Amino acid sequence: MSGIFSIESFSGLVAFAATVESGSFAAAGRKLGLSASAAGKAVERLELRLGVRLLHRTTRSLGPTGEGEVLYRHVAKILKDLQEAERELHLVQNAPRGRLKISVPTVMGRRIVLPALSEFHLSFPEVLVDINLDDLIVDVIEDGYDLALRLGELADSGLQARRIGPHGFTTCASPAYLAQRGTPRTPADLSGHCCIYYRFPTTGRPETWAFKGEQPDKPLKPSGILNDGEALASAAISGLGIVQVPNYLVKDDVEAGRLTPVLEDYTDSRGSVSLLWAPRSAEVARVRAFIDFFAERIASQL
């Protein structure tokens, strides 16, 4: 007897279980959408493969042999487990529950996503959110992510996307720095200032500041380069120079007077903030719930 069941054997097992439960090949066939002959032949092929007779066949009755009773106990349990798995999958598809793996840029994750997680959990207590805070661009499908939050211009990746809003920036410095070095009136004035830049982890290169209209006369020479967005804000607050950072990163510092915006008429957005997911993933209830919930929360902070 082979220890490995084929797909054909599985269809025979289903036909066998249905025959035991219904008492005839005709009734089993009706249950499975087959003819009585097809149900009987499926069981016969299973018997040939296993090398045992599974059913007593008489003109008046049909019932399991001793070997058939042993097999039926196991098959009935397997089919019951499969039905339960199907039921759970149906629930997962229609009610937000299960594990949700998400890639989120570090600063936006700390400033916007993480503070809103408690509210999300209250609304969807059966969703386990697994968040990876990283500024690297992950492969959503290959790395097994349900969703990714992306900043800037989107590449043509074949993923589904929902644009949440513009990725707006603030150019700013501390009041003490501006009192000492003066306030730049146009981007060209930045050539005489200390400019602190962010270094992208994907390329290792410093960012390029975005301005609309008038541009600096020549590329600005960085006075400092940091690989952490929140460190840029700290550097500016301490008076080290001028930074250009996302609005949500320095919103509270600007309101509190720790930082002063400059070049407000010139500072431009850099692409958009978007949620990305694999095709058809949004049909899963937990993914759909996260998209709808956080698109609103993130948009309100941009």
Side-chain angles (χ1 to χ4, degrees):
M1 182 190 301
S2 173
I4 301 175
F5 283 105
S6 65
I7 294 176
E8 183 180 10
S9 298
F10 184 77
S11 64
L13 290 169
V14 174
F16 166 69
T19 301
V20 172
E21 291 166 358
S22 58
S24 72
F25 290 131
R30 286 193 297 271
K31 183 177 181 179
L32 300 175
L34 303 172
S35 66
S37 174
K41 288 180 179 179
V43 175
E44 288 175 7
R45 287 193 295 270
L46 180 64
E47 289 177 322
L48 287 173
R49 180 176 178 80
L50 297 177
V52 295
R53 182 167 289 278
L54 299 172
L55 295 172
H56 290 299
R57 298 165 174 84
T58 70
T59 55
R60 291 185 304 241
S61 66
L62 193 64
T65 63
E67 293 82 357
E69 289 178 352
V70 171
L71 182 62
Y72 175 73
R73 285 199 302 272
H74 291 281
V75 173
K77 181 179 183 303
I78 291 170
L79 294 178
K80 182 179 178 181
D81 289 343
L82 289 174
Q83 289 172 349
E84 180 62 21
E86 183 178 4
R87 186 188 71 82
E88 288 190 19
L89 283 174
H90 179 75
L91 288 174
V92 168
Q93 287 290 112
N94 292 279
R97 65 179 67 199
R99 180 171 175 264
L100 192 61
K101 187 178 179 182
I102 307 164
S103 172
V104 179
T106 305
V107 174
M108 180 168 281
R110 290 173 179 166
R111 293 301 179 103
I112 299 179
V113 177
L114 294 183
L117 272 183
S118 59
E119 184 182 351
F120 180 80
H121 182 67
L122 287 174
S123 299
F124 307 103
E126 295 188 67
V127 177
L128 171 63
V129 181
D130 179 353
I131 293 184
N132 181 45
L133 295 178
D134 200 329
D135 293 323
L136 297 174
I137 298 177
V138 301
D139 187 314
V140 173
I141 297 176
E142 288 295 324
D143 295 335
Y145 285 92
D146 296 294
L147 286 161
L149 190 62
R150 291 274 171 84
L151 311 176
E153 300 295 342
L154 296 179
D156 185 7
S157 62
L159 298 172
Q160 300 294 308
R162 178 167 172 178
R163 183 180 181 277
I164 298 173
H167 192 208
F169 279 72
T170 298
T171 307
C172 57
S174 71
Y177 172 87
L178 296 175
Q180 180 183 16
R181 300 291 299 270
T183 300
R185 302 301 176 187
T186 70
D189 295 338
L190 291 172
S191 59
H193 283 270
C194 297
C195 299
I196 306 172
Y197 284 76
Y198 173 74
R199 183 174 66 243
F200 291 109
T202 50
T203 64
R205 298 176 180 175
E207 65 185 337
T208 299
W209 288 3
F211 296 106
K212 50 193 172 185
E214 182 178 343
Q215 301 297 316
D217 297 330
K218 56 184 178 180
L220 300 175
K221 183 179 179 180
S223 300
I225 300 175
L226 298 170
N227 68 344
D228 182 273
E230 290 179 306
L232 284 175
S234 297
I237 291 170
S238 66
L240 291 179
I242 298 175
V243 297
Q244 189 177 93
V245 292
N247 296 338
Y248 52 81
L249 176 58
V250 293
K251 180 181 178 182
D252 291 342
D253 294 316
V254 169
E255 291 178 353
R258 292 184 290 270
L259 289 172
T260 300
V262 298
L263 304 175
E264 292 182 89
D265 293 336
Y266 295 95
T267 304
D268 204 0
S269 299
R270 302 186 201 167
S272 57
V273 179
S274 304
L275 278 166
L276 281 73
W277 60 89
R280 299 184 64 87
S281 289
E283 296 176 13
V284 179
R286 63 180 178 274
V287 176
R288 197 165 57 244
F290 189 94
I291 292 171
D292 292 340
F293 182 93
F294 277 96
E296 180 183 340
R297 299 306 183 283
I298 294 170
S300 68
Q301 299 294 316
L302 296 181

